[in-house]
Amino acid sequence: MHSSDSLPIQHNLDLKPYNSFGVSVIAKQFCSVTDADMLPAVFDHARSKNLPVLVLGGGSNMLLVDDFPGLVIHIRLGGVQCNKSSGLVKAGAGEGWHQLVLKCMNNRLHGLENLALIPGSAGAAPIQNIGAYGVELNQFVHSVGVYDNNRGVFNRLNGEECQFAYRDSLFKREDGAGLIITDIILQLHRDWQPNISYQTLKEQLGTDSPDHQQVFEAVCRIRTSKLPDPKKLGNAGSFFKNPVITLVKYQQLQQDLPQLPAFPATSENEVKIPAGHLLDELGWRGRKHGGAAVHNSHALVLVNAGNANGREIYELSCEMRRSVLDRFDIDLQTEVTILP
């Protein structure tokens, strides 16, 4: 076990390289965790110094608004093990998500192709229950390894215990506070079964029986055409969730927006509608606020267009939310976690 004295603590570190928006905020203390056994000592250190804690993975789904007055714990737990006979894949929480998708494909273990090119780490994937093009992560989660900081123990949760929902999980809720993901185990398919239920993907493929490489490449093409590369233009992908509304509300909206599409939701009386469509209707593409901007080709994507600070990006998102609420009486929820 590690002691607090042996921890690699850094002081007053700029988090610009550690968040995909590329905003510059200062962490009072910072510690990279490369071994899960470090976690008890890291949290002991934070308690002894009375420091608030922020756990950071790939930093691809959060907006840092202000300097952080506590300890940032950067999860860098690596390693991927693929069991070809069982289809089980275990990945450390610090593994890059897209790199994990590639490793699974190279081992002929399938299911994640539709989730290619999603930025972030393997450990962040279940927190958000990432999804794209007709596939959600929860379909493949066998179990998630966690360190329970409240009880000081390591544990493993099965898929049901993770309480997955649309872009949501136990780890985002109050009763999941204190659970730090250390690894994930996924149950993948040895036999290839394409999921091309998503219309945009089906159109891009032009065939009803694509192989796994064709699906992977089509997903990458669509994402690249719609979403800017965070390494070139700071962003966190889709900033808002697609709202779920009642059928009655949808029918009312259609009177103003006859082209508004709708997708099935979990309840028969509800549908999911694209937030981007609402924002497009209000002319948000390309609009700016200081160094922050809405991307020219996708109204759901906020970007750091020129040394934006977190406050500017946050204020822009608030203006967008207000305009949708005022016009359509829909309160958009953020997909990105905002840390004040």
Side-chain angles (χ1 to χ4, degrees):
M1 295 296 286
H2 295 259
S3 69
S4 296
D5 295 337
S6 66
L7 294 172
I9 303 288
Q10 296 174 267
H11 296 268
N12 299 317
L13 190 80
D14 191 339
L15 296 178
K16 187 172 184 174
Y18 298 98
N19 71 96
S20 65
F21 267 118
V23 296
S24 182
V25 296
I26 304 299
K28 184 175 182 179
Q29 294 191 16
F30 181 94
C31 182
S32 268
V33 172
T34 52
D35 177 350
D37 287 342
M38 292 170 66
L39 287 168
V42 172
F43 280 99
D44 283 346
H45 169 79
R47 275 188 288 269
S48 71
K49 303 291 185 185
N50 201 25
L51 294 171
V53 167
L54 168 62
V55 179
L56 194 63
S60 62
N61 198 52
M62 61 173 52
L63 174 61
L64 302 167
V65 177
D66 293 315
D67 291 345
F68 188 70
L71 172 66
V72 171
I73 300 173
H74 185 219
I75 303 296
R76 288 184 56 205
L77 304 171
V80 177
Q81 299 165 293
C82 295
N83 187 320
K84 291 185 183 180
S85 58
S86 68
L88 290 173
V89 176
K90 182 177 183 179
E95 283 289 326
W97 175 258
H98 182 66
Q99 287 68 37
L100 175 59
V101 173
L102 284 169
K103 285 178 185 175
C104 294
M105 282 178 56
N106 290 339
N107 280 278
R108 298 283 175 180
L109 295 174
H110 303 298
L112 304 183
E113 288 81 359
N114 297 46
L115 305 180
L117 267 193
I118 293 179
S121 62
I127 297 173
Q128 186 71 0
N129 187 22
I130 59 173
Y133 308 111
V135 171
E136 287 195 334
L137 180 72
N138 63 277
Q139 298 169 232
F140 305 102
V141 172
H142 173 277
S143 61
V144 175
V146 299
Y147 173 66
D148 185 340
N149 179 44
N150 296 324
R151 296 190 297 148
V153 297
F154 289 91
N155 197 6
R156 183 161 292 281
L157 307 178
N158 64 31
E160 189 175 334
E161 289 170 320
C162 292
Q163 299 174 31
F164 290 119
Y166 171 59
R167 301 296 174 272
D168 195 21
S169 69
L170 167 69
F171 309 106
K172 291 181 82 170
R173 302 183 204 134
E174 197 174 329
D175 51 349
L179 296 179
I180 314 305
I181 295 174
T182 56
D183 69 77
I184 60 173
I185 297 180
L186 305 177
Q187 176 66 70
L188 301 183
H189 305 304
R190 289 177 296 167
D191 298 324
W192 168 241
Q193 302 164 323
N195 180 334
I196 54 170
S197 57
Y198 200 85
Q199 188 62 32
T200 308
L201 180 57
K202 187 181 287 189
E203 289 168 2
Q204 179 72 223
L205 284 160
T207 172
D208 288 334
S209 53
D211 63 30
H212 70 280
Q213 190 68 32
Q214 287 174 309
V215 170
F216 171 81
E217 289 174 358
V219 168
C220 289
R221 280 197 304 274
I222 297 169
R223 289 192 74 88
T224 304
S225 70
K226 285 188 173 183
L227 300 170
D229 182 348
K231 294 184 180 72
K232 297 175 182 173
L233 189 62
N235 75 91
S238 296
F239 199 91
F240 298 104
K241 296 179 186 179
N242 289 325
V244 175
I245 61 173
T246 64
L247 271 172
V248 173
K249 175 73 173 172
Y250 176 62
Q251 286 158 1
Q252 291 169 347
L253 283 173
Q254 276 191 308
Q255 294 172 18
D256 268 348
L257 306 172
Q259 304 300 315
L260 180 67
F263 307 97
T266 47
S267 162
E268 288 182 8
N269 298 319
E270 295 178 321
V271 291
K272 191 187 299 179
I273 60 171
H277 197 103
L278 304 179
L279 293 165
D280 276 341
E281 184 68 20
L282 296 168
W284 274 105
R285 286 196 205 190
R287 286 166 66 176
K288 295 182 177 179
H289 177 79
V294 182
H295 196 248
N296 286 321
S297 61
H298 203 316
L300 271 189
V301 179
L302 276 65
V303 299
N304 182 347
N307 292 319
N309 58 45
R311 176 76 43 195
E312 289 171 331
I313 298 169
Y314 173 64
E315 287 171 353
L316 177 58
S317 75
C318 290
E319 288 176 28
M320 296 168 76
R321 278 185 74 175
R322 256 194 312 272
S323 71
V324 171
L325 185 61
D326 290 347
R327 170 76 187 276
F328 302 114
D329 195 27
I330 292 174
D331 187 12
L332 293 183
Q333 301 301 305
T334 59
E335 194 166 313
V336 170
T337 300
I338 297 168
L339 292 161

